Amino acid sequence: ILVLAAGSVSALTAEEIINKRDDNEYIESAKIESEMVIINGSREMIKTMVTFMERDNSLTSYTNPRDRGTKFLKRDDDLWMFFPDAEDIVKISGHMLNQGMMGSDFSYQDMMESDKLTDLYNFKIIGEEEIGSRQCYVLEGTAVEDKEVSYYRRKSWIDKERFIGLKEELYAQSGRLLKVMRVSRVEEIDDRWYPVESVMENKLRKNTRTEFIVKVIEFDPELPAGTFTLENIQ
């Protein structure tokens, strides 16, 4: 009885689990070099990019030959895209936010959510399962009222030892499954576990998936003044 009582006292709540995940995955500021592999049937496109992030702001510059010079700027709740061929800046808003970013399975709206998960969703523990060889908590999150989120409900599998998300199912308010994200590799970087390879599948599209690979990440870099200005993306 004493052992069982001690176990119940030490058990983590859903909020504590998500906070531990946020400690690993939430970024205050970073410089990230990454690669996106977009697979559609037998076709494959590779896009490379450099991203600077600081809380609610980010700047992404594509570096692969086909898209070199294309940039995304996010400031708070606003998103702009610069097309070098047209020398034009376009604000991404409304229904455009639900479209696939650069033809990928990640939407522009996915890019917009930079808050901690505990600020966006109310979570509860619904079970435990194994992903690969890792024991996971399974949590269900429902959107906080009056919060703008891409997905009304999300189901998360969180590594019980490293507290990192290994799988997510993302749902509409109707209950329809929209997307599934799986993490295939994590690394310990600067005393935190971080996902460096993941795959997103859009369940509304057939035979597609997008692999996202972090090549290099630097946490808390010195960012130049004016990094997140409209002038800086032209």
Side-chain angles (χ1 to χ4, degrees):
I1 294 173
L2 288 174
V3 171
L4 290 173
S8 64
V9 169
S10 63
L12 296 173
T13 66
E15 185 176 4
E16 288 170 333
I17 294 167
I18 294 297
N19 278 331
K20 285 178 175 289
R21 175 182 171 169
D22 278 342
D23 288 343
N24 279 318
E25 298 190 38
Y26 177 74
I27 296 176
E28 284 284 348
S29 66
K31 177 185 177 182
I32 305 172
E33 297 177 26
S34 57
E35 178 179 281
M36 193 162 60
V37 183
I38 304 168
I39 299 162
N40 190 341
S42 60
R43 295 177 58 228
E44 182 177 295
M45 292 187 294
I46 298 177
K47 299 180 184 295
T48 57
M49 64 207 83
V50 177
T51 301
F52 296 94
M53 302 176 65
E54 189 174 58
R55 291 182 290 278
D56 291 334
N57 302 324
S58 66
L59 173 67
T60 296
S61 302
Y62 285 83
T63 56
N64 57 291
R66 180 177 179 179
D67 302 302
R68 184 172 288 119
T70 300
K71 298 179 182 179
F72 289 99
L73 173 66
K74 176 187 178 295
R75 289 196 318 208
D76 298 319
D77 295 326
D78 294 316
L79 179 65
W80 292 270
M81 185 174 182
F82 174 71
F83 298 92
D85 291 342
E87 297 186 351
D88 191 21
I89 296 175
V90 176
K91 187 171 183 180
I92 308 295
S93 60
H95 70 279
M96 295 172 65
L97 289 168
N98 296 318
Q99 297 177 2
M101 182 177 67
M102 301 293 282
S104 74
D105 292 274
F106 294 92
S107 70
Y108 295 103
Q109 187 65 45
D110 291 333
M111 182 181 176
M112 296 294 288
E113 289 184 1
S114 56
D115 293 342
K116 292 185 176 182
L117 287 174
T118 46
D119 295 334
L120 299 174
Y121 294 89
N122 294 314
F123 283 93
K124 62 181 179 181
I125 301 172
I126 60 173
E128 297 182 5
E129 289 182 21
E130 191 173 287
I131 298 286
S133 60
R134 310 298 304 186
Q135 294 295 323
C136 295
Y137 297 106
V138 185
L139 278 71
E140 183 179 67
T142 305
V144 173
E145 191 174 354
D146 297 328
K147 282 286 187 179
E148 289 289 333
V149 294
S150 303
Y151 312 102
Y152 177 77
R153 184 168 63 89
R154 62 199 305 149
K155 188 176 176 182
S156 303
W157 285 255
I158 299 174
D159 190 313
K160 294 179 69 173
E161 180 184 358
R162 299 175 297 185
F163 293 98
I164 191 164
L166 297 182
K167 179 183 174 182
E168 295 236 81
E169 292 180 351
L170 306 168
Y171 294 85
Q173 190 166 359
S174 66
R176 185 174 189 179
L177 177 61
L178 300 177
K179 294 182 181 180
V180 177
M181 190 276 294
R182 293 178 175 87
V183 171
S184 52
R185 188 162 71 91
V186 303
E187 287 185 2
E188 190 172 14
I189 305 169
D190 294 347
D191 298 321
R192 67 157 83 181
W193 290 100
Y194 195 78
V196 293
E197 292 186 14
S198 57
V199 180
M200 178 73 89
E201 295 181 54
N202 185 337
K203 293 302 182 179
L204 303 184
R205 301 168 64 186
K206 291 185 178 180
N207 301 319
T208 72
R209 70 181 188 275
T210 300
E211 300 172 2
F212 187 79
I213 302 158
V214 174
K215 297 291 190 179
V216 180
I217 185 167
E218 178 187 356
F219 294 110
D220 304 316
E222 289 289 333
L223 299 180
T227 297
F228 307 108
T229 60
L230 283 171
E231 292 76 16
N232 197 34
I233 69 171
Q234 299 185 55

